Amino acid sequence: MTGTSPARELDIIVYGASGFVGKLLADYLVKHAPEGTKIGLGGRSLEKLAATRADLGTAAADLPLIIADADDATALKALAQRTRVVATTVGPYAKYGHTLVHECASAGTHYVDLTGEVLFHRESIDANHELAVSTGAKIVHSCGFDSIPSDLGVHVLHEKVTADGAGELTDTTLVVTALRGGVSGGTIDSLRNQIDVSKDDARLRKLAASPYSLSPDRDREPDLGRQSDVSVVDGKKIDPSLKGWKAPFVMASYNTRVVRRSNALREWAYGKKFKYSEVMSVGSSVVSPVIAGGVAVGLGALVAGLALPPTRFLLDKVLPAPGEGPSESTQRKGHFTLDVFTMTTTGARYTSRVKAKGDPGYSATAVMLGESALSLAKDQQDLPPATGVLTPSTALGDVLVERLRKAGFEISARKL
């Protein structure tokens, strides 16, 4: 019935194991999965998979190689039926992900990915949620820097507020306090693809822009007014302790929708007045408003540039390509600190923090995706009972929080 069946040959298949992030994920699992965890490497090229396996060292010498092209439903069905969990790094997911998600949902196989694509996520919900509920599968999108820090940051914040009996969350803002690391080629390619599919379709543009585009029932969402992902905000309006103006965060237009879906899937447990946004710190000097405004303009220019053929041609020459990534040394120097601030319905102020070492989009993402897959493969009895197309917090909850803490992440919440 489900991917937790002991009859499954494998625990986890890494699909896309020969790609840049796929190799990082495979390496993480080989080194950190509990003894006896059965891992397979999947992709479309036997030669590349064999080379990846060789690079992973003697501990990986016996890992099975599973050949399946992203548009070969028969091969992907067979892949899904062999394992309890599929962890895929093959994007853009709107191009390469639909068939694999559907076959996992059909087979009752748990699934995790790294998508940051609103339209793909929405299509996956519509096509697979009820099917996955019927088979007992947990389909968990966005298990990397998109959107685990955001989703778990609000999750632990809500748990702390609830434990203290301090009411419900209202205005809640994530602030990127510190960040070092590059944008992956896969992220840029996903942005390109979403621009391509929506630029001539007003319905898709409206869907992508809706703050509740991932919610299970948008008609039941409370009318909280405009929730912008491109605003420049005075830090003191977020919390009195914050100095300087804050700029839009490049990933806000996706992460905010995932967090709102989590609230709705929990029957609005965070609060019916819960409003959520994400910004980034640009310093606290007197010129911070100018810098923050410049970031906002720059983000708009990037999207516009990718939508127009002449500027896109130039941007494609300088932006990272899919499959590219930083050196191991550069990845080690990366880090991130995200702080979430809220005001509750009782007037109390709380904050949470998610902090980790490693390049956010690469080495840290491999940890987050790897621990998500291990949660599904090894901790089924302790996970939240929900099935279907879920978010990291609603599918994995405190199990993932504890796994990431043991992996070196700081995840905490406190009253201010």
Side-chain angles (χ1 to χ4, degrees):
M1 164 109 175
T2 74
T4 64
S5 168
R8 299 292 175 110
E9 174 191 349
L10 299 171
D11 292 309
I12 301 170
I13 291 178
V14 178
Y15 186 65
S18 61
F20 192 90
V21 179
K23 290 178 181 177
L24 294 177
L25 173 60
D27 181 68
Y28 181 80
L29 289 172
V30 167
K31 291 177 178 176
H32 297 281
E35 185 176 353
T37 303
K38 299 174 182 177
I39 300 167
L41 306 179
R44 63 181 181 179
S45 168
L46 179 60
E47 181 181 1
K48 290 181 179 179
L49 288 175
T52 295
R53 183 173 62 182
D55 290 342
L56 293 174
T58 55
D62 296 327
L63 298 189
L65 307 180
I66 300 99
I67 310 305
D69 198 89
D71 60 2
D72 186 339
T74 301
L76 291 176
K77 179 179 180 179
L79 179 149
Q81 290 176 339
R82 291 181 65 176
T83 187
R84 302 170 76 185
V85 182
V86 171
T88 174
T89 62
V90 180
Y93 293 90
K95 280 186 177 181
Y96 305 117
H98 285 292
T99 303
L100 180 56
V101 177
H102 184 72
E103 294 304 334
C104 286
S106 298
T109 299
H110 302 317
Y111 166 102
V112 290
D113 70 19
L114 297 174
T115 190
E117 303 161 56
V118 170
L119 297 179
F120 166 76
H121 196 157
R122 181 71 252 175
E123 290 165 0
S124 176
I125 294 166
D126 295 339
N128 301 302
H129 180 71
E130 295 303 327
L131 175 62
V133 168
S134 73
T135 64
K138 290 178 182 279
I139 306 297
V140 196
H141 297 300
S142 314
C143 291
F145 194 53
D146 273 334
S147 299
I148 279 178
S150 305
D151 206 30
L152 292 188
V154 176
H155 169 75
V156 297
L157 187 67
H158 166 251
E159 286 197 327
K160 175 62 176 172
V161 169
T162 301
D164 288 355
E168 298 179 336
L169 311 185
T170 62
D171 288 354
T172 304
T173 304
L174 178 148
V175 179
V176 181
T177 303
L179 181 69
R180 179 172 181 175
V183 177
S184 75
T187 298
I188 295 296
D189 205 33
S190 294
L191 176 60
R192 288 189 191 98
N193 185 70
Q194 183 156 294
I195 289 171
D196 287 345
V197 300
S198 62
K199 65 182 179 182
D200 296 323
D201 190 324
R203 180 188 66 84
L204 293 180
R205 290 197 302 275
K206 183 178 179 181
L207 176 62
S210 168
Y212 298 111
S213 54
L214 300 182
S215 295
D217 186 349
R218 280 161 281 175
D219 292 336
R220 292 181 62 200
E221 291 287 356
D223 182 9
L224 298 175
R226 184 169 178 266
Q227 296 188 67
S228 174
D229 298 314
V230 293
S231 297
V232 175
V233 183
D234 185 349
K236 292 181 180 179
K237 291 186 177 181
I238 299 170
D239 187 84
S241 66
L242 297 182
K243 298 179 180 179
W245 287 69
K246 310 304 174 187
F249 181 41
V250 65
M251 294 158 65
S253 61
Y254 184 73
N255 292 337
T256 54
R257 286 141 179 80
V258 171
V259 172
R260 292 180 194 124
R261 178 169 175 78
S262 293
N263 189 31
L265 287 172
R266 289 181 160 122
E267 292 295 321
W268 295 276
Y270 297 165
K272 278 285 189 175
K273 295 181 180 179
F274 173 72
K275 293 178 71 173
Y276 182 69
S277 59
E278 296 189 348
V279 295
M280 62 183 293
S281 176
V282 291
S284 57
S285 70
V286 292
V287 296
S288 65
V290 177
I291 299 172
V295 171
V297 171
L299 290 176
L302 174 62
V303 173
L306 288 172
L308 298 172
T311 48
R312 178 162 174 168
F313 176 78
L314 296 174
L315 286 170
D316 284 348
K317 289 185 172 298
V318 297
L319 292 172
E324 292 182 357
S327 67
E328 185 176 343
S329 173
T330 300
Q331 289 183 56
R332 283 198 304 269
K333 295 175 183 176
H335 59 83
F336 66 86
T337 301
L338 309 181
D339 293 312
V340 187
F341 297 87
T342 196
M343 168 79 80
T344 76
T345 51
T346 65
R349 291 188 178 275
Y350 282 78
T351 186
S352 65
R353 168 167 286 187
V354 181
K355 177 179 180 180
K357 296 179 180 179
D359 189 291
Y362 294 98
S363 53
T365 278
V367 176
M368 288 184 272
L369 185 60
E371 293 298 339
S372 297
L374 289 168
S375 297
L376 291 167
K378 296 296 183 179
D379 303 322
Q380 179 65 31
Q381 69 279 3
D382 298 320
L383 295 174
T387 57
V389 180
L390 305 170
T391 60
S393 67
T394 57
L396 309 172
D398 291 336
V399 169
L400 181 58
V401 171
E402 290 306 316
R403 278 191 164 274
L404 290 175
R405 284 172 175 162
K406 290 177 181 177
F409 280 53
E410 177 186 341
I411 305 177
S412 60
R414 61 184 176 88
K415 185 177 180 180
L416 290 170

